[in-house]
């Protein structure tokens, strides 16, 4: 058999170990993986020269088409993702109409017409009808992951409808009976944050720290505790998205110890930035906010001790921020192109995190949590040939030319992806993204 693409002479890293060798791809799937001598010949052969070969990054948390048109974001942002080694992106999408079915059909079609990489969806619960529709949504769309949002005041600038405890409880009760279903919660106590915001606004402060202090860490810790309580009552799997507090992984580990299915996601910005960094201003507003140093330390502890389950970027391209008023600024930043490099630099190089642990956080665990395994998230015979080559020693400075706000511009990071392959197709090589593939990406959250 002749393969389409063969990579040899690589340091192959999977979630459970590593070896020297490579893999072979035919028709978009892995047909052999192992020592160089065990691989067939390929139409194209790549000598990795000892670089790291790992599964492509699965970014389970992004928001596309929020301000810019959805088809446009599905091009520009999936190209940015491919440049950073991301081969699958899952979008949290919201719809204010009573049913998700027409919205899903439209987004799936537009995605498959424009996306460079594979993609899928989670649905935001925005009204009561969405809860009743869950069984039908699962049957007809294959999406089993739903999100409830706390922390958004009724007049929030993005138009998110905040959840009630009743919504969460009712959704959990239904999801607990559906195999592999999961509820995602944005944890921040809406009422306390609203109260403190009014107080803080009256002081006239406009610095980034004022935003954080108007919704302090305990607001998030309180809601995490409440959600774990409800997950225990209902038996529903719970995923704590974009966790910014050091107590998050501690509480999840405690819950897991009692046998609960509770997992924690954190994001690169909470691991690398604090709300008091002197070079940041209101344009670094994010929801939940950047936190003080002690929360960052707690999250790194969770990364290193295994109690953080997965990473997500929360990538959201907004129009250029105005920097005029802290309270009206849209919350969110972009990080598809640098998530992996930030983790290589601050995790692997600075803190001694193993590459296998990085693969677990970035690929293996998100695939398991959201029903993409075993086709994605690891590399074995029969799996989708989604992989990257990483140059651990390459040093490069972050430059941002795309949409949205970047909070890392000018940072010199060590460790960069140099090749991104999606189902056997090379999407990025030596920093150059091949944009001829727009529309090749496929929706991966589909009925079983
Ligand atoms: Zn988000």
């Amino acid at each position: 058999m002749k393969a389409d693409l063969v990579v040899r002479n690589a340091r192959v890293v999977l979630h459970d170990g590593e070896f020297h060798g490579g893999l072979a791809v035919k028709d978009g799937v892995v047909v052999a993986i192992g020592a160089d001598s065990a691989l067939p010949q390929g139409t194209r052969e790549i000598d990795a020269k000892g670089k790291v070969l790992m599964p492509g990054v699965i970014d389970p948390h992004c928001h596309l088409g929020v301000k810019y048109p959805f088809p446009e974001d599905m091009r520009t942002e999936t190209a940015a993702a491919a440049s950073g080694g991301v081969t699958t992106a899952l979008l949290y999408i919201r719809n204010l109409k009573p049913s998700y079915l027409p919205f899903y059909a439209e987004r799936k079609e537009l995605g498959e017409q424009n996306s460079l990489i594979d993609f899928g969806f989670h649905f935001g619960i925005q009204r009561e009808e969405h809860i009743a529709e869950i069984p039908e949504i699962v049957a007809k769309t294959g999406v089993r992951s739903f999100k409830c949002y706390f922390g958004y005041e009724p007049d929030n600038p993005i138009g998110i409808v905040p959840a009630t405890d009743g919504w969460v409880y009712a959704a959990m009760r239904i999801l607990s009976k559906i195999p592999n279903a999961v509820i995602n919660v944005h944890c921040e106590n809406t009422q306390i944050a609203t109260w403190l915001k009014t107080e803080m606004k009256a002081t006239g402060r406009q610095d980034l720290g004022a935003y954080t202090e108007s919704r302090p860490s305990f607001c998030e810790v309180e809601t995490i505790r409440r959600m774990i309580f409800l997950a225990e009552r209902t038996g529903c799997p719970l995923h704590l998205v974009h966790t910014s507090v050091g107590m998050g992984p501690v509480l999840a580990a405690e819950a897991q110890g009692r046998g609960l299915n509770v997992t924690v996601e954190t994001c690169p910005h909470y691991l690398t930035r604090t709300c008091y960094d002197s070079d940041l201003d209101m344009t670094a507003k994010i929801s939940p906010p950047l936190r003080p140093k002690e929360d960052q330390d707690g999250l790194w502890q969770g990364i290193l001790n295994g109690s953080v389950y997965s990473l997500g970027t929360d990538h959201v391209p907004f129009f250029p921020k105005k920097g005029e008023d802290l309270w009206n600024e849209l919350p969110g930043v972009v990080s598809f192109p640098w998530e992996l490099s930030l983790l290589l630099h601050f995790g692997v190089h600075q803190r001694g995190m193993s590459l296998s642990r990085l693969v677990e956080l970035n690929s293996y665990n998100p695939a398991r949590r959201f029903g993409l395994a075993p086709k994605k998230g690891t590399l074995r015979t029969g799996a989708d040939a989604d992989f990257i080559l990483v140059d651990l020693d390459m040093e490069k400075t972050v430059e941002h030319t795309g949409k949205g706000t970047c909070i890392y511009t000018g940072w010199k990071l060590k460790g960069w992806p140099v090749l991104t392959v999606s189902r056997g197709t090379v999407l990025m090589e030596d920093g150059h993204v091949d944009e001829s593939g727009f529309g090749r990406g496929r929706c991966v959250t589909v009925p079983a």
Side-chain angles (χ1 to χ4, degrees), residues 116-159:
L116 188 59
I117 63 173
D118 289 346
F119 61 92
F121 300 106
H122 319 265
F123 294 151
I125 292 171
Q126 294 288 277
R127 49 193 287 169
E128 281 181 27
E129 289 92 330
H130 295 163
I131 300 168
E133 199 187 24
I134 288 173
E136 195 185 353
I137 293 175
V138 170
K140 291 188 175 158
T141 72
V143 172
R144 289 160 187 264
S145 173
F146 296 81
K147 182 174 179 183
C148 282
Y149 299 78
F150 288 103
Y152 287 94
E153 322 83 271
D155 61 343
N156 71 84
I158 318 181

Side-chain angles (χ1 to χ4, degrees), residues 61-63 92 147 149 152 186 241-242 265 287 314-316:
H61 191 154
C62 66
H63 306 272
Y92 285 93
K147 182 174 179 183
Y149 299 78
Y152 287 94
H186 175 137
V241 289
H242 52 43
E265 169 193 83
S287 174
D314 208 355
H315 179 103
V316 54

Side-chain angles (χ1 to χ4, degrees), residues 7-12 19-22 36 48 50-53 389:
V7 182
R8 296 177 204 273
N9 192 23
R11 178 182 170 192
V12 181
F19 60 89
H20 188 91
D36 291 334
K51 287 197 264 302
V52 170
L53 188 162
L389 280 181

Side-chain angles (χ1 to χ4, degrees), residues 414-432:
K414 187 173 176 183
W416 289 83
V418 293
L419 184 83
T420 304
V421 177
S422 160
R423 285 183 280 107
T425 301
V426 174
L427 299 183
M428 183 277 284
E429 197 161 7
D430 297 326
H432 175 78

